[in-house]
Amino acid sequence: MNKAQGIKLSVVIPLYNEAENLPELYKQITASCGNLDIPFEMVFVDDGSADNSFQVLKELEAGDPRLKIIRLRRNFGQTAALSAGFDYARGEIIITLDADLQNDPGDFPLLIGKIEEGYDIVSGWRLKRKDKLISRRLPSVAANWFISRITKVKLHDYGCTLKAFRKDIVKNIKLYGEMHRFIPAIASTMGVTIAEVRVNHRPRIHGKSKYNISKSIRVFLDLLTVKFLLTYSTRPLQAFGLFGLITGGIGGILALILSYQRLILRVGISNRPLLLLAILLIVIGFQFITMGLLGEIMVRSYHETAEKHIYVIREVVDSEREDEP
Ligand code: UDP
Ligand code: MG
C-alpha cells in the first residue's frame, strides 16, 4: 500500500490573509488529529494572500510532511479555494474549516463519529455564533430560512465551513461562484445522507472578516442558480416551456378577443393598450419556448461531451464483469 492510500483524513483549509492565525491553527489541528490516531494530512489553500501567510505556511511545512500547501495565483474566493483543496485531498474523509480560528478543531471527533455512523455529509451548526449581529448574523438567519425553504435540504446553518464529507461526494461535485455553502443541497441530488452536529464557534481575534453584506446578494443569486440546476437542469423545456405557454396563451386569448371586437363588432382597436400587451405576451411566450428548446440542446451537449451522467452510482455489484462500467 502506498502512502497516499493510507491517508484516512484530509483537513482542507482555505485562507486569505490569515498569517497571525496560522501557527495557532496548525497547533490545534495537529493536537486534535493526533488524538484521533489516524493517518491524516492538512491541505492549506492559500487563496492569493497579500500578507506573509505563505511564508508562515512554508515554515510550518518544513517541519511537518503532513502539511501540504496549495498556493493559488491570485485571490479566487473561498469556494474556488475549497475546490482546489478537494481536488488535491486524498483522505477517505474530508473535513473543511476556516483558517481564522473561529471553527474549533476540537470538534473533529464529533464529525468523524457521524461519518463512521454512515452519513455522507456532516454539517456543523454554530449554535452560539460569535459574529457581528447586523452585518453577519441577521442576514444569515434570513438566508438559512430561505435556503432551507428553497433547496428542501433542512439544515440550521448552511454558512458553517466546518463540515465533513466522504471523499466521493466532494470529488463528484463541481463548484462555482459562492456555492460552497450549497454543497449539501447540490449533493442531495446524488442521494446522500446528511447529519448536523452542534459545533463550537469562537470570535475572530486576529485579522479581518473578508465578507460584508454584499455577499448576501451574491449568495441569493447563487441560490437561484442552484435551485434551477437542482430542479430543471435535465429538463429546461419543462421550466421555460410552462412560462411560455402561460404568457403566450394569455396573449393569444387577448388577441382573439381583440380580433372579435375588430372584425365582428367593428370596434376600432388602434388606440387599445391591450393590443400592445397581447403582442408582447405572444412574443415573450415564443421566446420562452425557444429558450427552453435551446436549453434542451445545451443540456444534451453538457451531459454528453463532459460524460456527465444524469444519474450517480454508489457501487456496482457484478462479479463477472471486470472493466469499470
Ligand atoms: N477566505 C478565502 N478566500 C477569500 C475570502 C475568505 O480563502 O476570498 C477564507 C478566510 O481566510 C477564512 C474563510 O475563508 O479562512 C472564511 O472567511 P471569513 O472568516 O472572512 O468569513 P466569516 O467567518 O466572516 O464568514
Ligand atoms: Mg470567520
Side-chain angles (χ1 to χ4, degrees):
M1 189 168 69
N2 72 29
K3 239 170 140 191
Q5 280 171 333
I7 291 177
K8 182 106 202 306
L9 170 67
S10 296
V11 183
V12 174
I13 310 119
L15 62 113
Y16 179 53
N17 297 346
E18 305 281 3
E20 298 116 308
N21 291 315
L22 294 172
E24 177 62 23
L25 179 71
Y26 169 78
K27 225 178 355 182
Q28 295 187 6
I29 294 176
T30 43
S32 175
C33 292
N35 289 339
L36 289 168
D37 203 25
I38 50 175
F40 70 96
E41 63 177 0
M42 289 159 276
V43 183
F44 284 86
V45 187
D46 177 4
D47 185 14
S49 294
D51 66 354
N52 62 343
S53 295
F54 182 70
Q55 281 68 32
V56 175
L57 286 173
K58 278 282 273 198
E59 272 164 40
L60 293 170
E61 193 267 345
D64 190 343
R66 298 167 302 184
L67 196 155
K68 322 276 150 79
I69 313 168
I70 301 174
R71 188 186 193 185
L72 303 185
R73 280 195 170 270
R74 64 167 173 86
N75 179 241
F76 283 92
Q78 195 183 350
T79 301
L82 275 169
S83 190
F86 289 156
D87 289 342
Y88 191 84
R90 291 170 301 180
E92 294 300 317
I93 300 173
I94 294 175
I95 289 186
T96 55
L97 82 161
D98 284 347
D100 56 3
L101 291 168
Q102 291 198 264
N103 297 135
D104 184 356
D107 288 319
F108 288 0
L110 213 63
L111 298 174
I112 293 173
K114 280 279 174 196
I115 292 275
E116 278 169 353
E117 269 178 42
Y119 289 98
D120 297 310
I121 298 179
V122 184
S123 182
W125 173 13
R126 297 164 293 180
L127 200 61
K128 298 202 179 73
R129 200 169 157 184
K130 306 284 189 331
D131 278 317
K132 292 210 183 85
L133 181 68
I134 301 289
S135 66
R136 307 307 316 279
R137 270 156 53 203
L138 283 182
S140 134
V141 169
N144 284 326
W145 177 83
F146 203 59
I147 296 173
S148 86
R149 290 296 302 260
I150 301 250
T151 64
K152 306 265 180 349
V153 173
K154 303 276 177 248
L155 290 177
H156 292 91
D157 185 5
Y158 295 86
C160 181
T161 314
L162 183 58
K163 291 190 172 78
F165 307 92
R166 253 176 232 289
K167 179 173 74 183
D168 51 321
I169 306 295
V170 293
K171 299 274 180 195
N172 268 317
I173 286 182
K174 289 259 170 283
L175 297 175
Y176 300 92
E178 291 285 331
M179 284 183 195
H180 63 271
R181 71 198 58 245
F182 301 127
I183 298 176
I186 298 169
S188 71
T189 57
M190 296 163 53
V192 296
T193 48
I194 305 173
E196 193 169 43
V197 293
R198 293 173 189 199
V199 296
N200 193 10
H201 196 240
R202 307 180 287 198
R204 192 190 248 280
I205 296 166
H206 300 294
K208 286 199 291 277
S209 171
K210 311 297 178 301
Y211 295 118
N212 52 37
I213 199 122
S214 79
K215 187 180 75 166
S216 312
I217 299 165
R218 286 180 280 145
V219 168
F220 174 75
L221 290 173
D222 281 345
L223 177 63
L224 208 67
T225 316
V226 169
K227 173 67 183 171
F228 182 75
L229 291 178
L230 286 182
T231 330
Y232 294 112
S233 70
T234 54
R235 45 193 179 108
L237 187 58
Q238 292 179 16
F240 290 113
L242 184 67
F243 274 122
L245 287 182
I246 294 172
T247 46
I250 296 173
I253 293 171
L254 291 179
L256 278 179
I257 295 172
L258 289 171
S259 307
Y260 173 76
Q261 293 183 342
R262 177 70 188 84
L263 297 174
I264 312 292
L265 305 181
R266 305 262 169 213
V267 190
I269 57 166
S270 58
N271 59 346
R272 303 282 298 275
L274 210 55
L275 179 62
L276 215 57
L277 181 66
I279 296 169
L280 187 70
L281 288 177
I282 291 173
V283 173
I284 291 177
F286 267 113
Q287 290 208 321
F288 268 123
I289 293 172
T290 14
M291 230 180 328
L293 288 170
L294 287 178
E296 291 284 336
I297 292 173
M298 291 169 79
V299 163
R300 278 161 184 67
S301 52
Y302 170 75
H303 282 285
E304 284 158 27
T305 52
E307 293 207 8
K308 278 196 143 275
H309 300 294
I310 57 171
Y311 54 84
V312 187
I313 295 177
R314 190 187 301 271
E315 58 187 317
V316 175
V317 182
D318 179 352
S319 51
E320 284 178 345
R321 189 163 165 169
E322 277 169 7
D323 61 322
E324 289 273 319

